[in-house]
Amino acid sequence: MKLATIGVGNAGSKIIDRMLEFEQETGRNLCRHVLVINSARTDLAKPDYVPEDRRVLIGDTHQKAKGHGVGGDVEVGAEVAKHDIDEIRRAFDDVEIHEVDAILVAAGLGGGTGSGAGPVVIDELQKMYDEPVYGLGILPGEYEGGRPALNAARSLQSFVTKVDNFIAFDNDAWRSRGQTIEEGYEEMNRELAVRIVTLLAAGEIDETEVAENAMDSSDIMRTLDTDGVSSIGYASTRIEQDGEGLLDRFREERDDPGEATDAAKIKGLVRRAVNSRLTLPCEISSADRALIVLSGPSELISRKGIESARQWLEDAADTVDILAGDDPRPNADELAAVVLLSNVTETPRIKEIQSQAVDAQDKIEELEAVREQEIEDLITDDDDKLDPVV
Ligand code: GDP
């Protein structure tokens, strides 16, 4: 697939930057256009792979932002994007949209810029272009507290209703112990970039390489065309080379490199992808559609293997709407299976965020009422004998 990628806010921009890094490292060609949008000048300086002229600062003349971000305020995030909508539009004008199949907008939903400006950006894209717009959204971890949960729960509603598909990543599920938050983010961003690029770059291959069961961008778009929330699973195995050419641990039993064994191993890899940590933990049987991509040297990916993996997922996910194919990468040092579960509806984490958000909203309202009363009590004399000057 050919993508125009747009990162909004700090996390959104970092994810896009990691996607560019991974595609460059692996010789893929997915992100044909890139843009990052932020209200904080310092965050805009962070990306390593996004060209300088593809970074847009919004809100620098807005009195609540002034180039320093929106302080986690989702309302201000939306306000500054609306205020600078002409500038955002001008940045879109440089995108040759007929060159791309779809547009991907990435954002962290727990902050102010990604969660507030993201939906405004998506509205504009939907107005301007016919191509599908996909969201890639990061859900905050429970440990971040009530405000990020409230931002995320509200922003999720906006994102999901506006995009053609919303691919979710749950920070809570991916948090590991013994790491600083920044170290954790680095690792998560990398993991997410590997999954999203492996999935969406399928089909963008050297045309001299003819693949029997090659995945096509229309297959990916069909699977994403559900308007719902999606999750991605991934597993890979290293390929080892020897003097005779490609050989791998995947075919460790050299005496029995038969098709049946290979097929079982492909199925095993796909099963591992689905049973591994998904970008959004969910009940896989709640998926509406699914797609399997096997990425690696084609001699390791048999038609029988793809078929048995598809059959297995059909039973496990309890849907017949499953597409499977390969993405030939002759020089890859890994064989990877990536599984897209589209329109999953049983995801406990989203319910948890909503409940944390409702508690936070109640508490905020309560505190606001108390605060007003406390200020009133503070500035008023006990018998209320004094009047203000003006
Ligand atoms: P914004 O710039 O106002 O949109 O705010 P940020 O993007 O800095 O943060 C928004 C949310 O994204 C946070 O609440 C975190 O949940 C998450 N987040 C921030 N940075 C990262 C990151 O590098 N990786 C991941 N996975 N999540 C992040």
PDB file of all heavy atoms in Angstrom, residues 190-214:
ATOM      1  N   ARG A 190       8.885   1.240  18.572  1.00  0.00           N
ATOM      2  CA  ARG A 190       9.563   0.377  17.608  1.00  0.00           C
ATOM      3  C   ARG A 190       8.675  -0.836  17.277  1.00  0.00           C
ATOM      4  O   ARG A 190       8.478  -1.191  16.130  1.00  0.00           O
ATOM      5  CB  ARG A 190      10.906  -0.038  18.238  1.00  0.00           C
ATOM      6  CG  ARG A 190      11.675  -1.056  17.484  1.00  0.00           C
ATOM      7  CD  ARG A 190      12.437  -0.449  16.348  1.00  0.00           C
ATOM      8  NE  ARG A 190      13.031  -1.495  15.527  1.00  0.00           N
ATOM      9  CZ  ARG A 190      13.668  -1.280  14.410  1.00  0.00           C
ATOM     10  NH1 ARG A 190      13.822  -0.060  13.946  1.00  0.00           N
ATOM     11  NH2 ARG A 190      14.163  -2.275  13.724  1.00  0.00           N
ATOM     12  N   GLU A 191       8.147  -1.455  18.336  1.00  0.00           N
ATOM     13  CA  GLU A 191       7.283  -2.640  18.136  1.00  0.00           C
ATOM     14  C   GLU A 191       6.067  -2.286  17.282  1.00  0.00           C
ATOM     15  O   GLU A 191       5.681  -3.036  16.371  1.00  0.00           O
ATOM     16  CB  GLU A 191       6.795  -3.198  19.481  1.00  0.00           C
ATOM     17  CG  GLU A 191       7.888  -3.754  20.381  1.00  0.00           C
ATOM     18  CD  GLU A 191       8.379  -5.126  19.935  1.00  0.00           C
ATOM     19  OE1 GLU A 191       7.759  -5.711  19.034  1.00  0.00           O
ATOM     20  OE2 GLU A 191       9.387  -5.595  20.487  1.00  0.00           O
ATOM     21  N   LEU A 192       5.484  -1.133  17.565  1.00  0.00           N
ATOM     22  CA  LEU A 192       4.303  -0.732  16.802  1.00  0.00           C
ATOM     23  C   LEU A 192       4.680  -0.455  15.341  1.00  0.00           C
ATOM     24  O   LEU A 192       3.971  -0.878  14.420  1.00  0.00           O
ATOM     25  CB  LEU A 192       3.661   0.511  17.448  1.00  0.00           C
ATOM     26  CG  LEU A 192       2.464   1.107  16.716  1.00  0.00           C
ATOM     27  CD1 LEU A 192       1.355   0.077  16.498  1.00  0.00           C
ATOM     28  CD2 LEU A 192       1.886   2.301  17.491  1.00  0.00           C
ATOM     29  N   ALA A 193       5.812   0.215  15.144  1.00  0.00           N
ATOM     30  CA  ALA A 193       6.248   0.543  13.776  1.00  0.00           C
ATOM     31  C   ALA A 193       6.486  -0.733  12.969  1.00  0.00           C
ATOM     32  O   ALA A 193       6.084  -0.825  11.802  1.00  0.00           O
ATOM     33  CB  ALA A 193       7.513   1.395  13.822  1.00  0.00           C
ATOM     34  N   VAL A 194       7.111  -1.738  13.589  1.00  0.00           N
ATOM     35  CA  VAL A 194       7.372  -3.003  12.890  1.00  0.00           C
ATOM     36  C   VAL A 194       6.053  -3.625  12.429  1.00  0.00           C
ATOM     37  O   VAL A 194       5.912  -4.069  11.284  1.00  0.00           O
ATOM     38  CB  VAL A 194       8.145  -3.983  13.819  1.00  0.00           C
ATOM     39  CG1 VAL A 194       8.146  -5.392  13.257  1.00  0.00           C
ATOM     40  CG2 VAL A 194       9.560  -3.486  14.059  1.00  0.00           C
ATOM     41  N   ARG A 195       5.074  -3.620  13.321  1.00  0.00           N
ATOM     42  CA  ARG A 195       3.782  -4.244  12.985  1.00  0.00           C
ATOM     43  C   ARG A 195       3.053  -3.483  11.881  1.00  0.00           C
ATOM     44  O   ARG A 195       2.575  -4.062  10.917  1.00  0.00           O
ATOM     45  CB  ARG A 195       2.895  -4.305  14.248  1.00  0.00           C
ATOM     46  CG  ARG A 195       3.314  -5.428  15.166  1.00  0.00           C
ATOM     47  CD  ARG A 195       2.893  -5.215  16.609  1.00  0.00           C
ATOM     48  NE  ARG A 195       3.315  -6.364  17.417  1.00  0.00           N
ATOM     49  CZ  ARG A 195       4.566  -6.605  17.791  1.00  0.00           C
ATOM     50  NH1 ARG A 195       5.536  -5.784  17.431  1.00  0.00           N
ATOM     51  NH2 ARG A 195       4.865  -7.683  18.501  1.00  0.00           N
ATOM     52  N   ILE A 196       2.980  -2.192  12.050  1.00  0.00           N
ATOM     53  CA  ILE A 196       2.169  -1.419  11.106  1.00  0.00           C
ATOM     54  C   ILE A 196       2.834  -1.381   9.723  1.00  0.00           C
ATOM     55  O   ILE A 196       2.169  -1.500   8.699  1.00  0.00           O
ATOM     56  CB  ILE A 196       1.863  -0.008  11.684  1.00  0.00           C
ATOM     57  CG1 ILE A 196       0.672   0.611  10.999  1.00  0.00           C
ATOM     58  CG2 ILE A 196       2.993   0.954  11.649  1.00  0.00           C
ATOM     59  CD1 ILE A 196      -0.594   0.324  11.667  1.00  0.00           C
ATOM     60  N   VAL A 197       4.156  -1.268   9.703  1.00  0.00           N
ATOM     61  CA  VAL A 197       4.848  -1.211   8.404  1.00  0.00           C
ATOM     62  C   VAL A 197       4.813  -2.592   7.736  1.00  0.00           C
ATOM     63  O   VAL A 197       4.556  -2.695   6.537  1.00  0.00           O
ATOM     64  CB  VAL A 197       6.297  -0.682   8.566  1.00  0.00           C
ATOM     65  CG1 VAL A 197       7.074  -0.815   7.269  1.00  0.00           C
ATOM     66  CG2 VAL A 197       6.288   0.781   9.023  1.00  0.00           C
ATOM     67  N   THR A 198       5.046  -3.645   8.500  1.00  0.00           N
ATOM     68  CA  THR A 198       5.012  -4.993   7.897  1.00  0.00           C
ATOM     69  C   THR A 198       3.637  -5.260   7.294  1.00  0.00           C
ATOM     70  O   THR A 198       3.514  -5.813   6.200  1.00  0.00           O
ATOM     71  CB  THR A 198       5.369  -6.076   8.942  1.00  0.00           C
ATOM     72  OG1 THR A 198       6.589  -5.718   9.567  1.00  0.00           O
ATOM     73  CG2 THR A 198       5.498  -7.442   8.303  1.00  0.00           C
ATOM     74  N   LEU A 199       2.611  -4.837   8.012  1.00  0.00           N
ATOM     75  CA  LEU A 199       1.251  -5.056   7.514  1.00  0.00           C
ATOM     76  C   LEU A 199       0.960  -4.206   6.275  1.00  0.00           C
ATOM     77  O   LEU A 199       0.589  -4.726   5.216  1.00  0.00           O
ATOM     78  CB  LEU A 199       0.249  -4.697   8.621  1.00  0.00           C
ATOM     79  CG  LEU A 199      -1.216  -4.680   8.205  1.00  0.00           C
ATOM     80  CD1 LEU A 199      -1.717  -6.094   7.986  1.00  0.00           C
ATOM     81  CD2 LEU A 199      -2.072  -3.996   9.269  1.00  0.00           C
ATOM     82  N   LEU A 200       1.132  -2.899   6.408  1.00  0.00           N
ATOM     83  CA  LEU A 200       0.641  -2.006   5.351  1.00  0.00           C
ATOM     84  C   LEU A 200       1.561  -1.947   4.132  1.00  0.00           C
ATOM     85  O   LEU A 200       1.122  -1.587   3.042  1.00  0.00           O
ATOM     86  CB  LEU A 200       0.402  -0.594   5.910  1.00  0.00           C
ATOM     87  CG  LEU A 200      -0.654  -0.502   7.029  1.00  0.00           C
ATOM     88  CD1 LEU A 200      -0.826   0.947   7.489  1.00  0.00           C
ATOM     89  CD2 LEU A 200      -2.005  -1.061   6.607  1.00  0.00           C
ATOM     90  N   ALA A 201       2.839  -2.312   4.312  1.00  0.00           N
ATOM     91  CA  ALA A 201       3.748  -2.280   3.157  1.00  0.00           C
ATOM     92  C   ALA A 201       3.612  -3.530   2.298  1.00  0.00           C
ATOM     93  O   ALA A 201       4.229  -3.627   1.239  1.00  0.00           O
ATOM     94  CB  ALA A 201       5.195  -2.108   3.606  1.00  0.00           C
ATOM     95  N   ALA A 202       2.820  -4.491   2.746  1.00  0.00           N
ATOM     96  CA  ALA A 202       2.643  -5.712   1.947  1.00  0.00           C
ATOM     97  C   ALA A 202       2.092  -5.339   0.584  1.00  0.00           C
ATOM     98  O   ALA A 202       1.195  -4.516   0.469  1.00  0.00           O
ATOM     99  CB  ALA A 202       1.690  -6.664   2.664  1.00  0.00           C
ATOM    100  N   GLY A 203       2.656  -5.917  -0.435  1.00  0.00           N
ATOM    101  CA  GLY A 203       2.193  -5.607  -1.792  1.00  0.00           C
ATOM    102  C   GLY A 203       3.060  -4.571  -2.475  1.00  0.00           C
ATOM    103  O   GLY A 203       3.088  -4.501  -3.700  1.00  0.00           O
ATOM    104  N   GLU A 204       3.799  -3.770  -1.699  1.00  0.00           N
ATOM    105  CA  GLU A 204       4.707  -2.789  -2.305  1.00  0.00           C
ATOM    106  C   GLU A 204       6.055  -3.450  -2.527  1.00  0.00           C
ATOM    107  O   GLU A 204       6.986  -3.290  -1.753  1.00  0.00           O
ATOM    108  CB  GLU A 204       4.859  -1.554  -1.401  1.00  0.00           C
ATOM    109  CG  GLU A 204       3.646  -0.683  -1.352  1.00  0.00           C
ATOM    110  CD  GLU A 204       3.097  -0.346  -2.731  1.00  0.00           C
ATOM    111  OE1 GLU A 204       3.875   0.080  -3.600  1.00  0.00           O
ATOM    112  OE2 GLU A 204       1.890  -0.550  -2.940  1.00  0.00           O
ATOM    113  N   ILE A 205       6.135  -4.252  -3.569  1.00  0.00           N
ATOM    114  CA  ILE A 205       7.346  -5.041  -3.773  1.00  0.00           C
ATOM    115  C   ILE A 205       7.941  -4.773  -5.143  1.00  0.00           C
ATOM    116  O   ILE A 205       7.274  -4.233  -6.014  1.00  0.00           O
ATOM    117  CB  ILE A 205       7.055  -6.557  -3.642  1.00  0.00           C
ATOM    118  CG1 ILE A 205       5.770  -6.894  -4.410  1.00  0.00           C
ATOM    119  CG2 ILE A 205       6.980  -6.970  -2.203  1.00  0.00           C
ATOM    120  CD1 ILE A 205       5.508  -8.351  -4.537  1.00  0.00           C
ATOM    121  N   ASP A 206       9.157  -5.199  -5.268  1.00  0.00           N
ATOM    122  CA  ASP A 206       9.842  -5.104  -6.543  1.00  0.00           C
ATOM    123  C   ASP A 206       9.054  -5.928  -7.563  1.00  0.00           C
ATOM    124  O   ASP A 206       8.771  -7.107  -7.350  1.00  0.00           O
ATOM    125  CB  ASP A 206      11.250  -5.700  -6.319  1.00  0.00           C
ATOM    126  CG  ASP A 206      12.043  -5.700  -7.594  1.00  0.00           C
ATOM    127  OD1 ASP A 206      11.483  -5.343  -8.635  1.00  0.00           O
ATOM    128  OD2 ASP A 206      13.223  -6.063  -7.535  1.00  0.00           O
ATOM    129  N   GLU A 207       8.677  -5.301  -8.657  1.00  0.00           N
ATOM    130  CA  GLU A 207       7.779  -5.993  -9.581  1.00  0.00           C
ATOM    131  C   GLU A 207       8.400  -7.201 -10.290  1.00  0.00           C
ATOM    132  O   GLU A 207       7.696  -8.030 -10.847  1.00  0.00           O
ATOM    133  CB  GLU A 207       7.214  -5.006 -10.593  1.00  0.00           C
ATOM    134  CG  GLU A 207       5.957  -4.353 -10.028  1.00  0.00           C
ATOM    135  CD  GLU A 207       5.689  -2.980 -10.576  1.00  0.00           C
ATOM    136  OE1 GLU A 207       6.136  -2.711 -11.697  1.00  0.00           O
ATOM    137  OE2 GLU A 207       5.062  -2.190  -9.863  1.00  0.00           O
ATOM    138  N   THR A 208       9.728  -7.312 -10.228  1.00  0.00           N
ATOM    139  CA  THR A 208      10.344  -8.472 -10.871  1.00  0.00           C
ATOM    140  C   THR A 208      10.088  -9.734 -10.042  1.00  0.00           C
ATOM    141  O   THR A 208      10.200 -10.850 -10.531  1.00  0.00           O
ATOM    142  CB  THR A 208      11.869  -8.293 -11.012  1.00  0.00           C
ATOM    143  OG1 THR A 208      12.394  -8.023  -9.718  1.00  0.00           O
ATOM    144  CG2 THR A 208      12.206  -7.168 -11.973  1.00  0.00           C
ATOM    145  N   GLU A 209       9.765  -9.532  -8.795  1.00  0.00           N
ATOM    146  CA  GLU A 209       9.507 -10.666  -7.904  1.00  0.00           C
ATOM    147  C   GLU A 209       8.035 -11.064  -8.019  1.00  0.00           C
ATOM    148  O   GLU A 209       7.153 -10.362  -7.526  1.00  0.00           O
ATOM    149  CB  GLU A 209       9.833 -10.229  -6.472  1.00  0.00           C
ATOM    150  CG  GLU A 209       9.546 -11.241  -5.394  1.00  0.00           C
ATOM    151  CD  GLU A 209      10.602 -12.315  -5.304  1.00  0.00           C
ATOM    152  OE1 GLU A 209      11.717 -12.117  -5.827  1.00  0.00           O
ATOM    153  OE2 GLU A 209      10.307 -13.351  -4.719  1.00  0.00           O
ATOM    154  N   VAL A 210       7.770 -12.156  -8.716  1.00  0.00           N
ATOM    155  CA  VAL A 210       6.365 -12.525  -8.897  1.00  0.00           C
ATOM    156  C   VAL A 210       5.966 -13.498  -7.793  1.00  0.00           C
ATOM    157  O   VAL A 210       6.555 -14.553  -7.640  1.00  0.00           O
ATOM    158  CB  VAL A 210       6.144 -13.182 -10.278  1.00  0.00           C
ATOM    159  CG1 VAL A 210       4.672 -13.509 -10.476  1.00  0.00           C
ATOM    160  CG2 VAL A 210       6.633 -12.262 -11.372  1.00  0.00           C
ATOM    161  N   ALA A 211       4.977 -13.104  -7.035  1.00  0.00           N
ATOM    162  CA  ALA A 211       4.574 -13.956  -5.925  1.00  0.00           C
ATOM    163  C   ALA A 211       3.249 -14.620  -6.257  1.00  0.00           C
ATOM    164  O   ALA A 211       2.333 -13.984  -6.760  1.00  0.00           O
ATOM    165  CB  ALA A 211       4.436 -13.126  -4.678  1.00  0.00           C
ATOM    166  N   GLU A 212       3.195 -15.883  -5.942  1.00  0.00           N
ATOM    167  CA  GLU A 212       2.018 -16.677  -6.281  1.00  0.00           C
ATOM    168  C   GLU A 212       0.779 -16.209  -5.501  1.00  0.00           C
ATOM    169  O   GLU A 212      -0.293 -16.068  -6.044  1.00  0.00           O
ATOM    170  CB  GLU A 212       2.334 -18.124  -5.913  1.00  0.00           C
ATOM    171  CG  GLU A 212       1.591 -19.117  -6.730  1.00  0.00           C
ATOM    172  CD  GLU A 212       1.893 -20.514  -6.211  1.00  0.00           C
ATOM    173  OE1 GLU A 212       2.932 -20.690  -5.520  1.00  0.00           O
ATOM    174  OE2 GLU A 212       1.092 -21.392  -6.488  1.00  0.00           O
ATOM    175  N   ASN A 213       1.015 -15.973  -4.193  1.00  0.00           N
ATOM    176  CA  ASN A 213      -0.128 -15.629  -3.340  1.00  0.00           C
ATOM    177  C   ASN A 213       0.014 -14.223  -2.793  1.00  0.00           C
ATOM    178  O   ASN A 213      -0.323 -13.954  -1.647  1.00  0.00           O
ATOM    179  CB  ASN A 213      -0.190 -16.592  -2.156  1.00  0.00           C
ATOM    180  CG  ASN A 213      -0.083 -18.026  -2.597  1.00  0.00           C
ATOM    181  OD1 ASN A 213      -0.910 -18.492  -3.365  1.00  0.00           O
ATOM    182  ND2 ASN A 213       0.958 -18.711  -2.151  1.00  0.00           N
ATOM    183  N   ALA A 214       0.584 -13.326  -3.601  1.00  0.00           N
ATOM    184  CA  ALA A 214       0.945 -12.010  -3.051  1.00  0.00           C
ATOM    185  C   ALA A 214      -0.259 -11.221  -2.553  1.00  0.00           C
ATOM    186  O   ALA A 214      -1.312 -11.205  -3.169  1.00  0.00           O
ATOM    187  CB  ALA A 214       1.670 -11.205  -4.113  1.00  0.00           C
TER     188      ALA A 214
END
